Amino acid sequence: MEVASQAADELLASLVAGADIATLAVDSGWVLVQAEAATRTGAQANTQLRDQVFLLQGPDEEGPARAVIKLDDGYAVIQLDSVTPGELAEEDALRKQMYSRRISNASASTETLGFLEMLRKQSTIQVYEDRF
Amino acid sequence: MVLQTIRDRLTGIIAIFIFAILIIPFAFVGVSSYFTSDAVNAIAVVNDQEITLNQFNAGFQNYRRRMQAQLGAAFDAELFDQAIVRRQFLDQMINEELLVQVSAEAGLAVDDQRLALAIRDIESFQVDGEFNADVYQARLAAQGRNPAQFEIDMRASMVLNQLPGSIASSAITTNWEVNDYVRLADQTRAYKALLVPAFPPEPEAEAEAEEEAEVADAETEVVEEAVAEEEILDEGAILAWYEDHLGEYLSREMVSIEYLELDAATMGGAVEVEEDVLLASFEEQESRFITPESRLASHILIEVDSAAPEVDIVTAREQAEELSERARAGEDFATLATEYSQDIGSASGGGDLGWVEPGFMVQAFEDGLYELSLERPVSEPVQTGFGWHVIQLREIRPAEGMTFTEARDILLAEYKTEADERRFLEQADRMVDIIYEDPTTLDAAAEELGLEILAAGPFGRQGGGSGVSANANVIAAAFSDLVLAQGVISDPVDLGLNHIVVIRLQEHLPEAQLPLEGCVTRS
């Protein structure tokens, strides 16, 4: 694992220094995977990689964001080229309604949990763990 | 899939509470015991109210049976025997007890009419969509219960759900929140990633890795790693190298598959829809397309209970009449409201109620407001359960939205999408049925559904370069025990929304030693 970590760090350093990731893939022999428009929940062979990509800060004016992330079976040297915000077309009433309901449900769940939490704080609750 | 279905159906704690009502017809035991105490063996005490071990066990067994019925084969008995699951259930019972107590304190109740309506709505008690008293009694009797007991429990559950239900119904989402959510939820990212495995393949496996990266064919090569590039090898040296590195020269395990693909987006077929159907749909969803006329209103309330003595009601009405006349004679309505209105919520604001849409106010008030015009903006006294109101109409915001003609394309597209989805589901169901009858062939399903049997491969566990063989779910299915070892057709594999394939193994090429003769030189 340590060897892989070191190799990943070296690749990252090359990337930051301006190397092309496709060339690095050829030179190093490691598998290069890429996505043009990955979504948070889209089908992907490596969902751990996808989830980690969505945790990265987006690129800035200086160019793509680059990072090494740890995966269960090794490391990934990532070059994040772009982040495109989702859009909701004005006429897409159905999706809007769906999202609206989803947010309302989440909000209602949170508020209900908060309400229960408040009730618990105002109450005397004793649980007999030894009889459980 | 089953778990996901359950998750989709039951998201969040709101669903859990609301679900409590729905499960009553199917889980007739245990609920009533939450509301009584046998005062022995308390497992928890909530504000002096005990939850006994008996109550807990009855409730937990009930919950366990319910989950077993829902999850079917996916039910994990060991999981449900874990202490943490029992503890979580106890927490839920404590929450319910808290809600029972706070509901009682707040005087929340469910009247007979509402209870009756809720029971009539339970499908288990219906025949052809109508409530049937005989079925009702029979279903309860089958569970060793009677209507009186059931109605007590049902009422208790409905009371219990009132507070969470009110919280749920008060959740409002603004356009800003929706757009912000979409920006994040539907965000897309373009990236490239080099995968560095934790345990790099041994040198002899490198040939295989390289083949996979290049989507290599099964024809393989000998590596001239033992010698310098310019060195000339004799056959003996090559053979010796080959024999020393046999593990390096293995063909990859590969499969070829045949499959049937169902995709709602490409199923084709014209969907015909009557104009009347679209129009009816528009009318049903009017509130979606049209924002109704709203009215900016103020009022003066003279409180009087509708059950008060007649003299009090008349006195209050006379006072309201006087205020109505003064307002219509030109006195400032807001000043009158501030001085005389007994509605503590609006009096200090000159009686301002803001913009009112149909359905917001009690019917009598709404009727009174919508009878007014800007030419005759102050009402006669209007009686509601709160007392007498004098209503002032200040401004009208006309209805806005789309006409049927404007909304028609949206409705048509939705209708077509739904029709495609319906047809897809019908075909998918039929496909599964046919395959279930003979899970060794795709022929019958292909013939009946008019589908072409497609082929893909050979490809390895890393998948092929494109098409279905590049899809991780397809690869997993192709190398699954079901398809690879048992030789039967896979379960439907999701490729996307309303898009599935079922696959069958056509050929399996296991990992095997490559003969030296078949190898070529690689530099």
Side-chain angles (χ1 to χ4, degrees):
Chain A
M1 202 72 169
E2 203 174 310
V3 175
S5 170
Q6 195 179 339
D9 286 340
E10 285 170 7
L11 287 166
L12 177 64
S14 301
L15 261 187
V16 172
D20 174 58
I21 193 165
T23 309
L24 286 177
V26 172
D27 292 347
S28 64
W30 301 131
V31 174
L32 176 70
V33 294
Q34 51 188 324
E36 289 302 318
T39 60
R40 289 178 192 276
T41 54
Q44 295 232 338
N46 193 332
T47 52
Q48 194 189 15
L49 171 64
R50 176 200 64 194
D51 293 347
Q52 291 288 333
V53 165
F54 273 90
L55 292 177
L56 294 178
Q57 191 150 7
D60 55 26
E61 60 276 5
E62 289 180 15
R66 302 176 183 94
V68 169
I69 58 170
K70 189 173 178 308
L71 303 173
D72 287 342
D73 55 357
Y75 292 86
V77 184
I78 297 175
Q79 177 175 301
L80 177 57
D81 294 316
S82 68
V83 173
T84 309
E87 276 188 72
L88 186 61
E90 197 55 44
E91 64 275 13
D92 197 348
L94 206 61
R95 254 177 88 229
K96 185 172 179 181
Q97 192 181 44
M98 181 183 76
Y99 283 132
S100 177
R101 196 169 297 154
R102 194 180 293 175
I103 298 168
S104 294
N105 283 344
S107 156
S109 294
T110 307
E111 284 166 20
T112 304
L113 286 170
F115 177 65
L116 286 167
E117 192 58 34
M118 182 199 75
L119 288 180
R120 278 176 174 260
K121 281 183 182 157
Q122 292 175 350
S123 304
T124 307
I125 298 170
Q126 185 172 7
V127 175
Y128 296 99
E129 302 284 357
D130 55 329
R131 301 178 193 173
F132 186 66
Chain B
M1 183 66 97
V2 174
L3 284 171
Q4 187 57 50
T5 307
I6 299 287
R7 278 189 212 109
D8 289 345
R9 286 182 189 157
L10 297 177
T11 50
I13 195 157
I14 296 295
I16 291 167
F17 282 110
I18 291 172
F19 183 61
I21 288 181
L22 303 178
I23 53 122
I24 281 172
F26 309 104
F28 293 138
V29 287
V31 181
S32 64
S33 58
Y34 296 172
F35 305 102
T36 58
S37 170
D38 57 11
V40 288
N41 295 327
I43 193 169
V45 179
V46 183
N47 293 329
D48 299 331
Q49 182 66 41
E50 292 177 343
I51 296 173
T52 69
L53 190 57
N54 289 343
Q55 288 170 330
F56 172 79
N57 284 335
F60 186 74
Q61 287 310 317
N62 191 20
Y63 167 65
R64 196 176 186 281
R65 274 198 299 275
R66 224 163 51 227
M67 295 311 292
Q68 191 168 10
Q70 280 176 6
L71 296 175
F75 179 78
D76 183 349
E78 275 184 31
L79 173 73
F80 276 81
D81 291 336
Q82 288 177 11
I84 190 169
V85 177
R86 290 168 62 82
R87 186 67 174 79
Q88 283 169 348
F89 185 77
L90 178 62
D91 275 334
Q92 190 174 327
M93 286 185 78
I94 291 170
N95 286 344
E96 288 177 6
E97 178 56 39
L98 286 167
L99 283 173
V100 167
Q101 291 176 11
V102 76
S103 298
E105 277 173 28
L108 295 182
V110 170
D111 62 30
D112 290 346
Q113 191 183 5
R114 223 180 111 206
L115 176 65
L117 283 173
I119 292 175
R120 296 179 78 88
D121 278 346
I122 295 174
E123 283 184 19
S124 310
F125 302 147
Q126 293 177 349
V127 175
D128 296 332
E130 293 289 325
F131 175 77
N132 184 299
D134 293 337
V135 171
Y136 175 49
Q137 298 207 5
R139 292 293 305 267
L140 293 177
Q143 299 288 333
R145 311 247 306 171
N146 62 44
Q149 286 173 315
F150 174 70
E151 284 158 23
I152 288 170
D153 290 345
M154 179 84 180
R155 195 192 298 272
S157 280
M158 288 175 72
V159 169
L160 188 70
N161 279 288
Q162 284 194 53
L163 279 170
S166 302
I167 293 171
S169 61
S170 68
I172 295 168
T173 309
T174 64
N175 280 342
W176 180 87
E177 285 174 308
V178 172
N179 288 329
D180 207 40
Y181 178 82
V182 169
R183 273 195 291 277
L184 283 173
D186 289 356
Q187 181 187 93
T188 57
R189 295 188 163 208
Y191 69 89
K192 302 181 186 73
L194 275 174
L195 302 181
V196 183
F199 303 102
E202 295 299 315
E204 57 264 27
E206 277 179 9
E208 186 183 345
E210 196 165 321
E211 282 168 22
E212 288 178 359
E214 294 167 0
V215 196
D217 52 44
E219 296 301 320
T220 53
E221 311 136 2
V222 166
V223 184
E224 249 182 40
E225 289 166 343
V227 294
E229 230 171 66
E230 301 301 322
E231 189 177 344
I232 298 170
L233 291 171
D234 61 38
E235 286 195 3
I238 291 174
L239 181 61
W241 171 264
Y242 172 75
E243 287 177 346
D244 285 347
H245 297 81
L246 285 175
E248 189 177 340
Y249 305 117
L250 298 172
S251 65
R252 263 191 308 156
E253 180 189 24
M254 300 184 100
V255 292
S256 293
I257 58 167
E258 58 179 22
Y259 63 97
L260 292 180
E261 184 171 7
L262 262 188
D263 183 359
T266 58
M267 282 172 71
V271 176
E272 290 189 7
V273 52
E274 299 282 340
E275 209 61 18
D276 286 354
V277 173
L278 293 180
L279 188 57
S281 175
F282 178 75
E283 285 166 357
E284 272 173 22
Q285 304 178 64
E286 198 175 63
S287 61
R288 181 182 149 198
F289 294 106
I290 297 173
T291 306
E293 176 191 295
S294 52
R295 296 188 157 209
L296 189 60
S298 299
H299 81 145
I300 299 167
L301 172 67
I302 305 301
E303 276 187 326
V304 63
D305 194 303
S306 53
E310 183 64 21
V311 62
D312 291 347
I313 294 175
V314 170
T315 304
R317 180 189 163 86
E318 285 171 355
Q319 190 184 353
E321 274 174 345
E322 184 197 330
L323 290 165
S324 170
E325 281 165 17
R326 286 171 64 179
R328 276 185 279 179
E331 281 194 55
D332 181 58
F333 191 93
T335 307
L336 289 173
T338 305
E339 190 171 348
Y340 296 105
S341 180
Q342 292 164 355
D343 176 9
I344 54 171
S346 67
S348 60
D352 180 26
L353 293 172
W355 289 97
V356 177
E357 283 184 11
F360 274 31
M361 295 292 188
V362 292
Q363 195 60 48
F365 186 98
E366 185 178 305
D367 291 345
L369 173 61
Y370 275 80
E371 278 171 12
L372 297 175
S373 64
L374 292 172
E375 292 73 37
R376 196 184 69 81
V378 177
S379 74
E380 297 285 344
V382 172
Q383 190 179 20
T384 72
F386 302 100
W388 291 96
H389 306 256
V390 180
I391 306 168
Q392 182 196 31
L393 169 66
R394 288 153 52 207
E395 205 177 321
I396 296 176
R397 197 156 56 195
E400 291 175 348
M402 302 168 90
T403 63
F404 170 65
T405 310
E406 289 165 334
R408 188 181 173 285
D409 285 349
I410 297 173
L411 290 165
L412 183 61
E414 288 171 6
Y415 185 90
K416 284 180 171 170
T417 302
E418 281 174 20
D420 286 345
E421 186 171 304
R422 243 187 339 264
R423 199 163 41 175
F424 168 81
L425 291 173
E426 284 168 7
Q427 291 227 7
D429 274 356
R430 185 63 196 135
M431 180 191 271
V432 170
D433 285 347
I434 298 169
I435 290 170
Y436 183 75
E437 286 168 17
D438 182 358
T440 62
T441 175
L442 295 172
D443 294 347
E447 185 177 349
E448 181 171 331
L449 301 176
L451 297 172
E452 186 184 352
I453 298 178
L454 303 166
F459 57 90
R461 290 178 187 267
Q462 300 299 317
S466 60
V468 294
S469 63
N471 181 286
N473 296 334
V474 171
I475 297 164
F479 284 91
S480 68
D481 182 66
L482 191 71
V483 173
L484 195 59
Q486 299 180 40
V488 299
I489 294 166
S490 72
D491 290 332
V493 178
D494 279 326
L495 295 187
L497 183 64
N498 296 328
H499 186 187
I500 58 169
V501 291
V502 287
I503 68 175
R504 177 182 170 278
L505 180 70
Q506 208 170 28
E507 190 179 9
H508 178 211
L509 303 168
E511 193 177 63
Q513 191 67 55
L514 291 167
L516 178 60
E517 307 81 62
C519 301
V520 295
T521 301
R522 184 180 69 178
S523 61

